[in-house]
Amino acid sequence: MKDKVTHSEKEWREKLSLKRFHILREKGTEQAFSGEFWNHFKLGHYRCAGCETILFSSDTKFESNCGWPSFSNSLDDVIDEKSDTSHEMNRTEVLCKKCGGHLGHVFEDGPKEMGGLRYCINSLSLKFEDK
Ligand code: FE
């Protein structure tokens, strides 16, 4: 992984919309079925809305009916995973490796034939790009 992207809180606030700032920098969660990509299945890739790094490919996207875009895997070496015990749950948080932005969580209830993982990601953390 190349150089990390770092900004002060003030710089992030200037760079991101209020909603994106809340998700990416304050570990917020968008409402289920509210985002742009939970029901979006075009071919292409998804970049981090904070630093533009390509994080996910439509090749790994699947319909989970959970209300958030779900992927069976990320691209190589672009994601950090961290234990998250907030809200009295035991979850694994998923962050952009380059800018530290909060993306969502990874669960072990994904489709078996795709490896069994479900990266459950906020649409607001992502930007889509057509192939
Ligand atoms: Fe990023």
Side-chain angles (χ1 to χ4, degrees):
M1 167 70 35
K2 283 169 266 150
D3 298 341
K4 304 257 179 192
V5 168
T6 53
H7 293 295
S8 68
E9 183 186 326
K10 185 171 175 285
E11 287 166 340
W12 279 121
R13 283 191 186 276
E14 285 165 5
K15 197 175 151 57
L16 301 170
S17 69
L18 269 178
K19 283 180 175 178
R20 287 201 199 272
F21 180 87
H22 178 60
I23 306 289
L24 285 162
R25 308 314 306 179
E26 300 182 318
K27 305 189 189 301
T29 301
E30 71 197 14
Q31 232 188 334
F33 304 103
S34 74
E36 202 178 344
F37 301 129
W38 70 272
N39 198 20
H40 173 275
F41 290 95
K42 286 189 185 157
L43 294 185
H45 47 238
Y46 294 83
R47 290 181 183 269
C48 174
C51 72
E52 310 285 328
T53 301
I54 299 175
L55 302 175
F56 298 97
S57 160
S58 59
D59 297 347
T60 63
K61 198 170 187 301
F62 64 92
E63 179 53 88
S64 66
N65 292 307
C66 74
W68 293 276
S70 298
F71 303 88
S72 61
N73 209 345
S74 68
L75 271 75
D76 289 341
D77 203 31
V78 293
I79 293 284
D80 274 335
E81 294 185 6
K82 214 167 107 184
S83 164
D84 173 11
T85 55
S86 66
H87 304 288
E88 292 170 26
M89 286 184 271
N90 221 333
R91 296 180 294 174
T92 303
E93 182 189 2
V94 176
L95 303 111
C96 171
K97 200 168 203 170
K98 188 153 186 167
C99 73
H102 171 80
L103 305 173
H105 293 85
V106 57
F107 301 97
E108 293 182 0
D109 59 4
K112 292 267 181 302
E113 67 278 11
M114 293 173 84
L117 296 178
R118 173 171 62 97
Y119 286 80
C120 181
I121 305 298
N122 290 285
S123 298
L124 283 164
S125 299
L126 302 173
K127 282 182 184 172
F128 179 74
E129 199 169 76
D130 276 307
K131 224 166 220 172

